[in-house]
Amino acid sequence: MSDRPIIEIRELTKFYKGNDEPALNTISLEIFPGEIFGLLGPNGAGKTTTISILCGLFPPTRGEVYIDGMEIRSNLDKIKHIIGVVPQDLALYPTLTALENLTFFGNMYGLRGQDLRTRIFEYLKVFGLEKASRKRISSYSGGMKRRVNLIAGLLHRPKVLFLDEPTVGIDVQSRMVILDYLKEINKIGTTIIYTSHYMEEAENLCSRVAIVDHGRIISIGNPRELLKDHPEFKNLENIFLHLTGKEMRD
Ligand SMILES: Nc1ncnc2c1ncn2[C@@H]1O[C@H](COP(=O)(O)OP(=O)(O)O)[C@@H](O)[C@H]1O
Ligand SMILES: [Mg+2]
């Protein structure tokens, strides 16, 4: 890890229209190059709101974000080329094939022609989708769609990758393929910020995690450090339940 944060968040607050409670409440955070950082929390905690602001989808109500030393709002064009985003909701066109979808995303990043095609097929192979490349997305399983969604965020080989619940509701094989690949690109230098509510997954994957609830960070650290700070709990899941409460969230 180097000393200069690749992501710096200062006192981020977000109010949505018609909601008196802030979705984010003065969150400050630094993420360093080479980290796999997990943003963990129950439904409604503010994870998607955080990711959306960090990738420039909309501005915060208050606060500042710096990515790779650049203030996000005034450098969106530059920042778009160094970040990749894998949204929680699928961003694919169901009536197009995987190849057509990925060509579309590649074009958005200025990738074209044979180079783009070669790159797409490299990724399709990694994610076991080569044979299905010319089938419509609507015929894909949930896990297959997730894998294509992930490729769409990776095509331009971003330095920083944001993933919002990339492993929710998919088969165990797809999950393993995705997690193994994230570890691999992290080893060669990609910084990863991802949200999840699977504690065990985060415990194994992340260099650090922040547990968020009601728009605030309530605990942050290396998963092993957090366990050391709470010796009464056997795993991150128990810490999480202790900190966020056991009541169900929508
Ligand atoms: N577009 C929106 N308009 C109004 N409220 C929203 C909107 N998106 C999210 N919220 C509210 O903001 C809070 C945080 O939501 P979100 O960031 O989606 O949480 P998470 O991803 O952790 O489940 C929730 O209370 C949610 O209801
Ligand atoms: Mg969410």
Side-chain angles (χ1 to χ4, degrees):
M1 268 197 255
S2 93
D3 291 327
R4 182 177 167 230
I6 192 152
I7 296 174
E8 216 181 322
I9 301 169
R10 290 193 201 144
E11 306 199 339
L12 217 55
T13 295
K14 173 71 186 177
F15 281 93
Y16 286 108
K17 274 203 190 83
N19 203 337
D20 292 343
E21 294 293 315
L24 294 182
N25 195 341
T26 48
I27 282 195
S28 295
L29 180 62
E30 289 182 343
I31 295 168
F32 295 89
E35 283 205 269
I36 301 187
F37 192 94
L39 214 48
L40 310 178
N43 281 339
K47 304 182 295 296
T48 298
T49 304
T50 307
I51 295 280
S52 304
I53 293 172
L54 290 183
C55 66
L57 209 59
F58 50 73
T61 309
R62 283 191 294 277
E64 289 162 55
V65 177
Y66 293 84
I67 301 208
D68 210 10
M70 296 179 279
E71 193 282 313
I72 186 168
R73 300 309 301 171
S74 44
N75 294 283
L76 266 184
D77 279 347
K78 266 193 216 149
I79 288 172
K80 283 213 166 112
H81 286 274
I82 60 168
I83 66 170
V85 186
V86 182
Q88 180 170 10
D89 296 319
L90 295 168
L92 305 168
Y93 294 94
T95 58
L96 301 182
T97 67
L99 185 57
E100 288 165 341
N101 267 284
L102 292 171
T103 304
F104 171 80
F105 281 101
N107 290 162
M108 274 196 341
Y109 288 108
L111 303 166
R112 312 215 178 275
Q114 193 53 45
D115 281 355
L116 172 59
R117 215 179 159 73
T118 307
R119 203 179 278 199
I120 289 174
F121 275 98
E122 267 170 34
Y123 283 113
L124 287 171
K125 198 169 166 198
V126 169
F127 290 102
L129 293 165
E130 248 179 332
K131 285 207 189 98
S133 67
R134 288 185 173 80
K135 292 195 176 124
R136 286 175 176 211
I137 292 295
S138 54
S139 70
Y140 275 34
S141 72
M144 289 165 86
K145 287 179 192 162
R146 282 258 163 232
R147 281 178 270 157
V148 181
N149 211 37
L150 176 62
I151 299 174
L154 285 172
L155 272 178
H156 61 300
R157 303 200 172 122
K159 205 162 149 177
V160 181
L161 183 63
F162 296 104
L163 306 109
D164 199 0
E165 312 245 14
T167 54
V168 153
I170 56 173
D171 57 290
V172 66
Q173 284 82 2
S174 292
R175 190 166 166 167
M176 291 314 295
V177 172
I178 289 177
L179 293 175
D180 284 349
Y181 194 73
L182 293 181
K183 281 185 205 159
E184 210 169 293
I185 58 170
N186 175 251
K187 260 193 230 148
I188 57 168
T190 312
T191 305
I192 295 172
I193 296 93
Y194 104 114
T195 76
S196 180
H197 50 251
Y198 296 126
M199 293 302 127
E200 206 182 316
E201 180 181 294
E203 211 170 320
N204 291 320
L205 193 67
C206 297
S207 53
R208 281 192 306 149
V209 298
I211 297 176
V212 293
D213 200 13
H214 302 297
R216 287 181 183 277
I217 294 176
I218 51 177
S219 195
I220 185 168
N222 173 283
R224 279 174 299 278
E225 282 170 15
L226 289 183
L227 285 166
K228 234 192 268 168
D229 292 346
H230 298 274
E232 67 275 32
F233 302 114
K234 279 203 285 294
N235 52 38
L236 206 55
E237 173 109 35
N238 290 338
I239 296 177
F240 179 80
L241 287 172
H242 170 73
L243 292 173
T244 64
K246 291 195 168 86
E247 81 275 22
M248 300 280 274
R249 311 290 174 89
D250 297 331

